[in-house]
Amino acid sequence: MRRFGGPALFVAALLVMTLVVPNVLGPFRLQLLGKYLCFAIVAVGIAIAWGRGGMLTLGQGVFFGLGGYAMGMYLKLADAGGGLPDFMVWSGVDSLPLVWKPFANPAFALAMVVLLPTAVAVLLGLLVFRQRVRGAYFAVLSQALAAAFVILLVGQQGLTGGTNGLTNIQFFFGLDLYEESGQRLVYLVTVGVLAVVFVLAWQLKESRFGKLLVAIRDGEDRVRYLGYDPAVVKTVAFAFSAALAGIAGALFVPVVGIMSPAELGIVPSLAMLIGVAIGGRYSLVGAVVGAVLYNYAETSLSEAWPSGWKYLVGALFIAVMVWAPRGLAGLDLKKIEIKKIDIRKLDLKKVARR
């Protein structure tokens, strides 16, 4: 029951999100929930890389952006109907850049959604992990990669759309994203992808590879002495998390309708990590719940308290790290209840003595 309780709860939540939520929420709120689920897909990958492998990934925005731009390039070309995307016309570009031409093929674009983030993660992982870079050094390196990626995107106005990015995306494989039926179908696709991703991650977590990943997290040198190559194992886990981030970015484009550098920098990458930390990085269900709760809180607090909501979210993150380092999924409610009862008993004894 303890092993399968989380997946069973996740399946129940999926049924609710599929059968009940689309009939209850309006188009705007349904779109917001679809956005939260995209970040939940990223959270599943972070739970594998950070929770199981101990790799503090502060640059998931890079892989999120690679998948998002791969999908966005295809959708912009499809909307243009064989011509130039609108931002290229505004930027004075005369002909379609060479790097854009293959993305007119939907099969190529879908493949790049997964292959581009995976290839970058494999290259980075092999270069870094073979040098035995770990801990805070790896975190800073991945964070620097996110900052460099945003600078590159902003500096290529005619190629990437610059600061604005890819905007005004109207269709997704024939679905009109401005119609309620199209938005609902994209939401259901996002739920289905999250379900598949969760099953794959859970299988990986429970497999022999998942146990080896935990062993490397807790004692990398000992695992190396046993004949395993920790660099290869960590690279595979890191690449898996990058692939999930790329898939999430690709879904983010039709759900929200844009893909811009503002979604990919250091702050968005930290936000992806904070949601996992709040929910519980050692639990896949906790990571998903934490990502949804964090993004919901961000939306709600930014509406009610635009100037200071980040301070409250930061305080919540600090509180979770201090009093619940394993996240909400790691709370032992029975122990909490016992402590409350003991405190009450002690208070009664003090009152009786007085």
Side-chain angles (χ1 to χ4, degrees):
M1 290 296 294
R2 187 174 184 179
R3 179 181 178 184
F4 294 99
L9 178 63
F10 182 78
V11 170
L14 283 178
L15 292 176
V16 173
M17 288 189 293
T18 304
L19 302 177
V20 179
V21 170
N23 299 319
V24 175
L25 296 182
F28 176 69
R29 295 297 174 184
L30 191 65
Q31 182 188 42
L32 283 179
L33 181 57
K35 176 183 174 182
Y36 303 159
L37 296 182
C38 291
F39 290 117
I41 296 174
V42 182
V44 172
I46 294 177
I48 294 295
W50 184 28
R52 306 295 291 184
M55 294 170 281
L56 185 59
T57 56
L58 296 180
Q60 291 300 97
V62 174
F63 311 119
F64 187 82
L66 288 173
Y69 271 87
M71 176 60 71
M73 290 165 71
Y74 164 73
L75 296 180
K76 290 297 291 183
L77 290 175
D79 290 348
L84 292 176
D86 49 9
F87 73 89
M88 289 187 183
V89 177
W90 304 333
S91 302
V93 178
D94 297 328
S95 60
L96 189 66
L98 184 62
V99 70
W100 272 72
K101 292 182 179 180
F103 287 91
N105 188 327
F108 180 84
L110 289 175
M112 289 299 103
V113 165
V114 178
L115 294 180
L116 271 179
T118 303
V120 173
V122 168
L123 179 62
L124 179 64
L126 291 177
L127 290 175
V128 172
F129 297 137
R130 288 197 181 280
Q131 300 298 323
R132 302 187 183 181
V133 176
R134 66 183 83 168
Y137 300 101
F138 173 74
V140 172
L141 182 62
S142 62
Q143 191 177 50
L145 181 64
F149 183 60
V150 170
I151 294 173
L152 177 64
L153 292 175
V154 172
Q156 302 295 323
Q157 174 67 37
L159 191 63
T160 64
T163 305
N164 294 327
L166 307 180
T167 60
N168 194 30
I169 296 174
Q170 302 177 4
F171 295 94
F172 177 69
F173 292 97
L175 295 175
D176 190 346
L177 299 178
Y178 288 93
E179 291 185 358
E180 185 176 348
S181 59
Q183 295 175 359
R184 180 173 298 183
L185 188 55
V186 170
Y187 164 80
L188 293 176
V189 169
T190 305
V191 174
V193 172
L194 176 59
V196 173
V197 163
F198 183 89
V199 171
L200 291 176
W202 187 77
Q203 290 288 345
L204 180 65
K205 175 185 174 182
E206 297 296 325
S207 67
R208 187 167 179 263
F209 178 85
K211 295 178 175 59
L212 180 60
L213 192 60
V214 173
I216 292 174
R217 179 196 68 190
D218 296 338
E220 182 172 335
D221 294 331
R222 294 183 179 180
V223 173
R224 184 179 291 107
Y225 294 148
L226 292 175
Y228 293 97
D229 190 350
V232 174
V233 178
K234 293 170 71 173
T235 299
V236 171
F238 185 49
F240 178 76
S241 70
L244 296 193
I247 294 172
L251 289 171
F252 182 88
V253 175
V255 168
V256 180
I258 63 171
M259 175 53 70
S260 69
E263 306 291 341
L264 317 175
I266 295 176
V267 174
S269 297
L270 286 173
M272 297 174 187
L273 194 77
I274 290 175
V276 176
I278 291 175
R281 65 182 184 270
Y282 301 112
S283 168
L284 295 179
V285 176
V288 171
V289 172
V292 174
L293 288 179
Y294 173 83
N295 286 278
Y296 173 76
E298 178 181 353
T299 302
S300 303
L301 293 175
S302 61
E303 292 176 354
W305 192 19
S307 61
W309 66 268
K310 289 186 178 180
Y311 298 103
L312 186 56
V313 171
L316 175 62
F317 174 67
I318 293 174
V320 171
M321 289 295 96
V322 173
W323 287 292
R326 299 180 66 89
L328 299 178
L331 291 176
D332 193 337
L333 299 179
K334 292 182 179 180
K335 290 183 178 180
I336 295 175
E337 184 178 357
I338 292 173
K339 288 181 179 180
K340 287 183 178 180
I341 294 174
D342 292 340
I343 292 173
R344 290 176 181 176
K345 289 181 179 179
L346 291 174
D347 291 340
L348 289 175
K349 290 181 179 179
K350 289 180 179 180
V351 173
R353 289 176 182 176
R354 291 179 181 177

